[in-house]
mmCIF file with all atom_site columns, all heavy atoms in Angstrom:
data_model
loop_
_atom_site.group_PDB
_atom_site.id
_atom_site.type_symbol
_atom_site.label_atom_id
_atom_site.label_alt_id
_atom_site.label_comp_id
_atom_site.label_asym_id
_atom_site.label_entity_id
_atom_site.label_seq_id
_atom_site.pdbx_PDB_ins_code
_atom_site.Cartn_x
_atom_site.Cartn_y
_atom_site.Cartn_z
_atom_site.occupancy
_atom_site.B_iso_or_equiv
_atom_site.pdbx_formal_charge
_atom_site.auth_seq_id
_atom_site.auth_comp_id
_atom_site.auth_asym_id
_atom_site.auth_atom_id
_atom_site.pdbx_PDB_model_num
ATOM 1  N N   . LEU A 1 67 ? -56.882 51.635 133.664 1.00 97.00 ? 67 LEU A N   1
ATOM 2  C CA  . LEU A 1 67 ? -56.297 52.829 132.931 1.00 97.00 ? 67 LEU A CA  1
ATOM 3  C C   . LEU A 1 67 ? -54.742 52.798 133.193 1.00 97.00 ? 67 LEU A C   1
ATOM 4  O O   . LEU A 1 67 ? -54.243 52.489 134.305 1.00 97.00 ? 67 LEU A O   1
ATOM 5  C CB  . LEU A 1 67 ? -56.851 54.054 133.579 1.00 97.00 ? 67 LEU A CB  1
ATOM 6  C CG  . LEU A 1 67 ? -58.313 54.302 133.350 1.00 97.00 ? 67 LEU A CG  1
ATOM 7  C CD1 . LEU A 1 67 ? -58.813 55.522 134.248 1.00 97.00 ? 67 LEU A CD1 1
ATOM 8  C CD2 . LEU A 1 67 ? -58.670 54.602 131.840 1.00 97.00 ? 67 LEU A CD2 1
ATOM 9  N N   . THR A 1 68 ? -54.019 53.153 132.104 1.00 97.00 ? 68 THR A N   1
ATOM 10 C CA  . THR A 1 68 ? -52.519 53.357 132.313 1.00 97.00 ? 68 THR A CA  1
ATOM 11 C C   . THR A 1 68 ? -52.463 54.695 132.976 1.00 97.00 ? 68 THR A C   1
ATOM 12 O O   . THR A 1 68 ? -53.459 55.501 133.178 1.00 97.00 ? 68 THR A O   1
ATOM 13 C CB  . THR A 1 68 ? -51.812 53.513 130.947 1.00 97.00 ? 68 THR A CB  1
ATOM 14 O OG1 . THR A 1 68 ? -52.343 54.571 130.270 1.00 97.00 ? 68 THR A OG1 1
ATOM 15 C CG2 . THR A 1 68 ? -52.108 52.163 130.236 1.00 97.00 ? 68 THR A CG2 1
ATOM 16 N N   . ALA A 1 69 ? -51.241 55.116 133.287 1.00 97.00 ? 69 ALA A N   1
ATOM 17 C CA  . ALA A 1 69 ? -50.939 56.392 133.950 1.00 97.00 ? 69 ALA A CA  1
ATOM 18 C C   . ALA A 1 69 ? -51.513 57.546 133.006 1.00 97.00 ? 69 ALA A C   1
ATOM 19 O O   . ALA A 1 69 ? -52.068 58.507 133.447 1.00 97.00 ? 69 ALA A O   1
ATOM 20 C CB  . ALA A 1 69 ? -49.474 56.612 134.319 1.00 97.00 ? 69 ALA A CB  1
ATOM 21 N N   . GLU A 1 70 ? -51.168 57.382 131.718 1.00 97.00 ? 70 GLU A N   1
ATOM 22 C CA  . GLU A 1 70 ? -51.648 58.349 130.813 1.00 97.00 ? 70 GLU A CA  1
ATOM 23 C C   . GLU A 1 70 ? -53.094 58.346 130.623 1.00 97.00 ? 70 GLU A C   1
ATOM 24 O O   . GLU A 1 70 ? -53.756 59.455 130.530 1.00 97.00 ? 70 GLU A O   1
ATOM 25 C CB  . GLU A 1 70 ? -50.930 58.192 129.383 1.00 97.00 ? 70 GLU A CB  1
ATOM 26 C CG  . GLU A 1 70 ? -51.253 59.213 128.377 1.00 97.00 ? 70 GLU A CG  1
ATOM 27 C CD  . GLU A 1 70 ? -50.886 60.681 128.599 1.00 97.00 ? 70 GLU A CD  1
ATOM 28 O OE1 . GLU A 1 70 ? -50.085 60.844 129.609 1.00 97.00 ? 70 GLU A OE1 1
ATOM 29 O OE2 . GLU A 1 70 ? -51.208 61.528 127.875 1.00 97.00 ? 70 GLU A OE2 1
ATOM 30 N N   . GLY A 1 71 ? -53.764 57.241 130.710 1.00 97.00 ? 71 GLY A N   1
ATOM 31 C CA  . GLY A 1 71 ? -55.100 57.076 130.489 1.00 97.00 ? 71 GLY A CA  1
ATOM 32 C C   . GLY A 1 71 ? -55.841 57.747 131.777 1.00 97.00 ? 71 GLY A C   1
ATOM 33 O O   . GLY A 1 71 ? -56.821 58.383 131.580 1.00 97.00 ? 71 GLY A O   1
ATOM 34 N N   . GLN A 1 72 ? -55.197 57.592 132.961 1.00 96.00 ? 72 GLN A N   1
ATOM 35 C CA  . GLN A 1 72 ? -55.830 58.249 134.072 1.00 96.00 ? 72 GLN A CA  1
ATOM 36 C C   . GLN A 1 72 ? -55.744 59.756 133.957 1.00 96.00 ? 72 GLN A C   1
ATOM 37 O O   . GLN A 1 72 ? -56.695 60.432 134.321 1.00 96.00 ? 72 GLN A O   1
ATOM 38 C CB  . GLN A 1 72 ? -54.980 57.764 135.362 1.00 96.00 ? 72 GLN A CB  1
ATOM 39 C CG  . GLN A 1 72 ? -55.495 58.343 136.646 1.00 96.00 ? 72 GLN A CG  1
ATOM 40 C CD  . GLN A 1 72 ? -56.854 57.937 137.035 1.00 96.00 ? 72 GLN A CD  1
ATOM 41 O OE1 . GLN A 1 72 ? -57.292 56.743 136.839 1.00 96.00 ? 72 GLN A OE1 1
ATOM 42 N NE2 . GLN A 1 72 ? -57.626 58.850 137.645 1.00 96.00 ? 72 GLN A NE2 1
ATOM 43 N N   . ARG A 1 73 ? -54.581 60.217 133.520 1.00 95.00 ? 73 ARG A N   1
ATOM 44 C CA  . ARG A 1 73 ? -54.393 61.733 133.321 1.00 95.00 ? 73 ARG A CA  1
ATOM 45 C C   . ARG A 1 73 ? -55.423 62.216 132.359 1.00 95.00 ? 73 ARG A C   1
ATOM 46 O O   . ARG A 1 73 ? -56.023 63.348 132.600 1.00 95.00 ? 73 ARG A O   1
ATOM 47 C CB  . ARG A 1 73 ? -52.925 62.065 132.779 1.00 95.00 ? 73 ARG A CB  1
ATOM 48 C CG  . ARG A 1 73 ? -52.651 63.470 132.712 1.00 95.00 ? 73 ARG A CG  1
ATOM 49 C CD  . ARG A 1 73 ? -51.431 63.835 131.981 1.00 95.00 ? 73 ARG A CD  1
ATOM 50 N NE  . ARG A 1 73 ? -51.618 63.607 130.532 1.00 95.00 ? 73 ARG A NE  1
ATOM 51 C CZ  . ARG A 1 73 ? -52.205 64.326 129.631 1.00 95.00 ? 73 ARG A CZ  1
ATOM 52 N NH1 . ARG A 1 73 ? -52.951 65.360 130.064 1.00 95.00 ? 73 ARG A NH1 1
ATOM 53 N NH2 . ARG A 1 73 ? -52.236 63.879 128.392 1.00 95.00 ? 73 ARG A NH2 1
ATOM 54 N N   . VAL A 1 74 ? -55.617 61.569 131.146 1.00 94.00 ? 74 VAL A N   1
ATOM 55 C CA  . VAL A 1 74 ? -56.612 62.050 130.224 1.00 94.00 ? 74 VAL A CA  1
ATOM 56 C C   . VAL A 1 74 ? -58.029 61.980 130.842 1.00 94.00 ? 74 VAL A C   1
ATOM 57 O O   . VAL A 1 74 ? -58.813 62.954 130.589 1.00 94.00 ? 74 VAL A O   1
ATOM 58 C CB  . VAL A 1 74 ? -56.486 61.250 128.872 1.00 94.00 ? 74 VAL A CB  1
ATOM 59 C CG1 . VAL A 1 74 ? -57.570 61.584 127.917 1.00 94.00 ? 74 VAL A CG1 1
ATOM 60 C CG2 . VAL A 1 74 ? -55.106 61.497 128.285 1.00 94.00 ? 74 VAL A CG2 1
ATOM 61 N N   . SER A 1 75 ? -58.336 60.910 131.513 1.00 95.00 ? 75 SER A N   1
ATOM 62 C CA  . SER A 1 75 ? -59.696 60.721 132.011 1.00 95.00 ? 75 SER A CA  1
ATOM 63 C C   . SER A 1 75 ? -60.002 61.848 133.035 1.00 95.00 ? 75 SER A C   1
ATOM 64 O O   . SER A 1 75 ? -61.057 62.386 133.185 1.00 95.00 ? 75 SER A O   1
ATOM 65 C CB  . SER A 1 75 ? -59.974 59.333 132.568 1.00 95.00 ? 75 SER A CB  1
ATOM 66 O OG  . SER A 1 75 ? -59.288 59.165 133.803 1.00 95.00 ? 75 SER A OG  1
ATOM 67 N N   . GLU A 1 76 ? -58.970 62.138 133.841 1.00 94.00 ? 76 GLU A N   1
ATOM 68 C CA  . GLU A 1 76 ? -59.139 63.254 134.931 1.00 94.00 ? 76 GLU A CA  1
ATOM 69 C C   . GLU A 1 76 ? -59.367 64.569 134.165 1.00 94.00 ? 76 GLU A C   1
ATOM 70 O O   . GLU A 1 76 ? -60.141 65.433 134.613 1.00 94.00 ? 76 GLU A O   1
ATOM 71 C CB  . GLU A 1 76 ? -57.898 63.258 135.790 1.00 94.00 ? 76 GLU A CB  1
ATOM 72 C CG  . GLU A 1 76 ? -57.972 62.073 136.835 1.00 94.00 ? 76 GLU A CG  1
ATOM 73 C CD  . GLU A 1 76 ? -56.567 61.968 137.597 1.00 94.00 ? 76 GLU A CD  1
ATOM 74 O OE1 . GLU A 1 76 ? -55.734 62.826 137.466 1.00 94.00 ? 76 GLU A OE1 1
ATOM 75 O OE2 . GLU A 1 76 ? -56.459 61.139 138.459 1.00 94.00 ? 76 GLU A OE2 1
ATOM 76 N N   . ASP A 1 77 ? -58.694 64.796 133.059 1.00 90.00 ? 77 ASP A N   1
ATOM 77 C CA  . ASP A 1 77 ? -58.909 66.029 132.334 1.00 90.00 ? 77 ASP A CA  1
ATOM 78 C C   . ASP A 1 77 ? -60.262 66.101 131.757 1.00 90.00 ? 77 ASP A C   1
ATOM 79 O O   . ASP A 1 77 ? -60.926 67.181 131.838 1.00 90.00 ? 77 ASP A O   1
ATOM 80 C CB  . ASP A 1 77 ? -57.831 66.105 131.154 1.00 90.00 ? 77 ASP A CB  1
ATOM 81 C CG  . ASP A 1 77 ? -57.885 67.402 130.390 1.00 90.00 ? 77 ASP A CG  1
ATOM 82 O OD1 . ASP A 1 77 ? -57.699 68.444 131.006 1.00 90.00 ? 77 ASP A OD1 1
ATOM 83 O OD2 . ASP A 1 77 ? -58.137 67.295 129.213 1.00 90.00 ? 77 ASP A OD2 1
ATOM 84 N N   . VAL A 1 78 ? -60.900 64.998 131.297 1.00 91.00 ? 78 VAL A N   1
ATOM 85 C CA  . VAL A 1 78 ? -62.187 65.035 130.807 1.00 91.00 ? 78 VAL A CA  1
ATOM 86 C C   . VAL A 1 78 ? -63.124 65.313 131.808 1.00 91.00 ? 78 VAL A C   1
ATOM 87 O O   . VAL A 1 78 ? -64.155 66.179 131.686 1.00 91.00 ? 78 VAL A O   1
ATOM 88 C CB  . VAL A 1 78 ? -62.536 63.629 130.042 1.00 91.00 ? 78 VAL A CB  1
ATOM 89 C CG1 . VAL A 1 78 ? -63.991 63.622 129.642 1.00 91.00 ? 78 VAL A CG1 1
ATOM 90 C CG2 . VAL A 1 78 ? -61.610 63.540 128.891 1.00 91.00 ? 78 VAL A CG2 1
#
Side-chain angles (χ1 to χ4, degrees):
L67 294 168
T68 64
E70 181 65 6
Q72 180 66 37
R73 185 193 68 74
V74 174
S75 71
E76 287 171 0
D77 183 57
V78 174

